[in-house]
Amino acid sequence: PRLSWKDVEWIKKRWGGKLILKGILDPEDARLALDSGADAIVVSNHGGRQLDGALSSIRVLPEIVAAVGSRTEVWLDSGIRSGQDVLKALALGAKGTMIGRAYIHGLGAMGEDGVTRALEVIRKELDVSMALCGERDVKALGRHNLLVPAGFQGGYVRS
């Protein structure tokens, strides 16, 4: 409860290296993170484990990408279970995704070979999904590849 953006500045100064902040779910927090010295941000609700009523990461991603523009890379965590999920995140502006749960499931099932297999499955799903969208390069992905419901972005009251 006592942490502040000044603490981020303090850590950045002492660390000296790249500082990536994970757990950003609000556009204003994204801007404050950058102003405080973050080199990149990860949009994440930590798998919904912290506040089960928090908005999903994918829901707030477009607004956060718009808020920071080209100032930094925005990655997405939470909810990535397939190559299609990776495609959706990239199409909504993420530069990359994290796949912790798939990694852990693969590790638990088959050890190192399971991790390799999980990565292969996600890569193949992404490749097939891109082909079905008529895309060959992830850099070409955008909102035109998705059918986004009306009211998906915004539509909630901030206090």
Side-chain angles (χ1 to χ4, degrees):
R2 297 188 332 243
L3 292 176
S4 73
W5 294 109
K6 293 278 186 212
D7 295 312
V8 174
E9 293 173 17
W10 182 85
I11 291 168
K12 172 68 177 182
K13 214 176 282 181
R14 276 146 190 82
W15 168 247
K18 297 283 185 182
L19 179 66
I20 301 169
L21 291 184
K22 179 183 173 192
I24 304 295
L25 284 175
D26 181 80
E28 181 60 22
D29 283 345
R31 286 187 286 268
L32 289 168
L34 297 182
D35 293 344
S36 299
D39 295 294
I41 59 173
V42 179
V43 177
S44 174
N45 69 2
H46 307 292
R49 293 185 316 274
Q50 308 308 317
L51 291 171
D52 61 4
L55 291 171
S56 67
S57 298
I58 196 78
R59 176 85 184 264
V60 298
L61 175 65
E63 194 175 356
I64 290 172
V65 168
V68 300
S70 61
R71 289 179 60 195
T72 192
E73 285 193 5
V74 177
W75 284 53
L76 183 101
D77 180 46
S78 303
I80 301 296
R81 306 286 183 267
S82 68
Q84 284 186 19
D85 292 333
V86 173
L87 182 142
K88 291 172 193 175
L90 297 175
L92 291 174
K95 295 296 182 198
T97 66
M98 296 182 169
I99 56 160
R101 190 164 296 182
Y103 177 98
I104 292 298
H105 287 175
L107 183 64
M110 299 169 44
E112 184 178 340
D113 290 340
V115 173
T116 300
R117 181 73 182 121
L119 292 171
E120 288 171 353
V121 166
I122 289 173
R123 186 195 58 76
K124 286 180 184 176
E125 288 174 349
L126 175 59
D127 189 53
V128 168
S129 298
M130 286 180 55
L132 292 171
C133 288
E135 303 291 358
R136 295 173 153 249
D137 186 344
V138 293
K139 293 176 186 162
L141 292 172
R143 288 183 85 109
H144 65 279
N145 297 113
L146 304 176
L147 184 58
V148 180
F152 179 77
Q153 190 172 335
Y156 36 85
V157 177
R158 297 190 186 278
S159 52

